[in-house]
Amino acid sequence: MNQENRREILKLVDTAHAKVESFYPEEAVYKDTPQWAEKRRLLLADLALHLAQDALKGDTIRETSLKNHLFAILKISAEFFPDGNYAGAAALVDESITSLK
């Protein structure tokens, strides 16, 4: 992919990212409510867009940023799918994040 294509995609991702963030609730939301679940879904989308930015910005991928966003995505995914192994996968990513520091 050439730099112009990357810039074009990043512009779209940045626009989508700003739009997702604009939908965050301004008032407090409480755990185990429909509003909480919706906020967590928005956060999941927000983090996925950060992951796309991590993959496309710069000449190289910043491993620490990529792992931090991946860890957060897995942790939130575990909330939606507690019977899945997302928490275990997050723990593995967390171990590798700690080793980078």
Side-chain angles (χ1 to χ4, degrees):
M1 174 182 319
N2 65 38
Q3 291 292 57
E4 183 57 35
N5 290 343
R6 275 190 194 190
R7 278 192 293 274
E8 188 176 329
I9 292 170
L10 280 168
K11 186 177 177 182
L12 292 169
V13 170
D14 290 344
T15 300
H17 184 244
K19 193 66 164 174
V20 166
E21 286 185 341
S22 76
F23 291 126
Y24 276 119
E26 293 182 19
E27 65 283 341
V29 295
Y30 300 97
K31 197 169 184 172
D32 299 324
T33 65
Q35 296 83 4
W36 175 263
E38 186 62 24
K39 183 177 180 181
R40 300 305 277 175
R41 287 173 64 126
L42 287 169
L43 181 57
L44 193 56
D46 182 21
L47 289 164
L49 291 165
H50 278 292
L51 206 56
Q53 290 168 329
D54 290 340
L56 295 173
K57 279 187 179 174
D59 294 329
T60 60
I61 297 173
R62 296 179 327 178
E63 185 176 12
T64 303
S65 180
L66 181 91
K67 284 184 177 185
N68 285 332
H69 290 123
L70 184 56
F71 171 77
I73 287 169
L74 290 168
K75 289 293 281 186
I76 294 169
S77 296
E79 293 174 18
F80 287 102
F81 305 104
D83 293 334
N85 197 20
Y86 295 99
L92 290 173
V93 173
D94 192 34
E95 285 177 17
S96 66
I97 291 170
T98 303
S99 70
L100 288 175
K101 293 180 181 178

